[in-house]
Amino acid sequence: MSRISIRIICSIVLSVFIAAITIGAVSSSLAAMIMKEETYQKFQYMSASYANRFSLLLSEVVTAIHTFSSTVTNDFKIDDFRNDNNYRNHYMNKTNGILQDIILQNTSIQGIYLAINPEITGNLYES
């Protein structure tokens, strides 16, 4: 009788051990799949966040350039430029001041390059 009870106990222990290994393996694989999906979603959201932040910086730059362009267009006097040799220096200094103010107000801009169209003036002036 003791041999039968030992075999029964061994069978119960073996079946419990097999069940524990099976449940552990299944739960480990499910946890790995869930973690993989969570990681993928996190990286997807992070990349979308970076793309949105970069898009916002570009739209700020575009707005600042449009502001600068309209200021320069409204302020430039072609007749004064052609008649007065000092107008170019005065205009460039004033434009550099405006540009510096725009850059200081908008941290996303590192710099803007200004060139006066040579077709208008006959010469190319840069800032």
Side-chain angles (χ1 to χ4, degrees), residues 55-105:
S55 177
L56 179 64
L57 286 176
L58 284 180
S59 66
E60 289 175 3
V61 170
V62 168
T63 303
I65 290 173
H66 284 297
T67 302
F68 181 69
S69 173
S70 63
T71 303
V72 168
T73 302
N74 291 332
D75 197 36
F76 185 72
K77 308 286 189 263
I78 189 70
D79 294 331
D80 292 344
F81 183 81
R82 289 185 177 149
N83 296 331
D84 185 8
N85 290 335
N86 283 334
Y87 182 78
R88 177 183 62 88
N89 293 332
H90 173 68
Y91 182 75
M92 284 299 192
N93 289 336
K94 184 169 57 170
T95 305
N96 284 338
I98 295 169
L99 181 59
Q100 185 177 9
D101 288 341
I102 290 174
I103 290 172
L104 290 175
Q105 290 172 6

Side-chain angles (χ1 to χ4, degrees), residues 81 88-89 91-93 95-96 99 112-118 121 123-127:
F81 183 81
R88 177 183 62 88
N89 293 332
Y91 182 75
M92 284 299 192
N93 289 336
T95 305
N96 284 338
L99 181 59
I112 297 175
Y113 185 77
L114 172 68
I116 296 176
N117 189 351
T121 63
N123 296 314
L124 180 64
Y125 298 104
E126 302 173 353
S127 179

Side-chain angles (χ1 to χ4, degrees), residues 35-59:
M35 287 180 64
K36 183 179 177 181
E37 183 67 26
E38 289 290 326
T39 304
Y40 176 77
Q41 287 177 356
K42 181 177 181 179
F43 284 134
Q44 189 176 16
Y45 292 139
M46 285 174 58
S47 63
S49 174
Y50 285 128
N52 289 337
R53 197 174 328 156
F54 183 70
S55 177
L56 179 64
L57 286 176
L58 284 180
S59 66

